[in-house]
Amino acid sequence: MNILVVDDDLRIVKTTCDILRIKGHGVRAAHSGEEGVELVRSERPDCVLMDIKMPGISGVEAMQQMLEIAPMLPV
């Protein structure tokens, strides 16, 4: 499974990505909601793990934009 991890806390992103890789998943990281939306548009991950509170657009706003791009995407 290819998973997109979106969080503005670099340590959380690194730790989460490391754990997912150990479990055998493909992982991409984004450090803002805007970056996450662009990665959904260009790479179509299988699912997204995302923080809610981030600078710029929030996780909720990013999720809404992601679901416009890929309506069945688990976020």
Side-chain angles (χ1 to χ4, degrees), residues 33-59:
E34 294 89 349
E35 185 181 359
V37 171
E38 288 307 313
L39 285 172
V40 166
R41 183 174 283 117
S42 65
E43 298 190 17
R44 297 292 169 103
D46 297 314
C47 74
V48 178
L49 297 176
M50 182 164 49
D51 187 13
I52 293 174
K53 292 186 178 184
M54 294 184 284
I57 64 172
S58 72

Side-chain angles (χ1 to χ4, degrees), residues 13-66:
V13 170
K14 182 183 180 335
T15 301
T16 304
C17 288
D18 288 348
I19 292 167
L20 292 169
R21 281 188 192 100
I22 288 169
K23 295 293 185 180
H25 299 287
V27 181
R28 287 286 303 196
H31 299 103
S32 70
E34 294 89 349
E35 185 181 359
V37 171
E38 288 307 313
L39 285 172
V40 166
R41 183 174 283 117
S42 65
E43 298 190 17
R44 297 292 169 103
D46 297 314
C47 74
V48 178
L49 297 176
M50 182 164 49
D51 187 13
I52 293 174
K53 292 186 178 184
M54 294 184 284
I57 64 172
S58 72
V60 174
E61 292 170 294
M63 179 189 68
Q64 291 168 340
Q65 291 180 28
M66 290 173 180

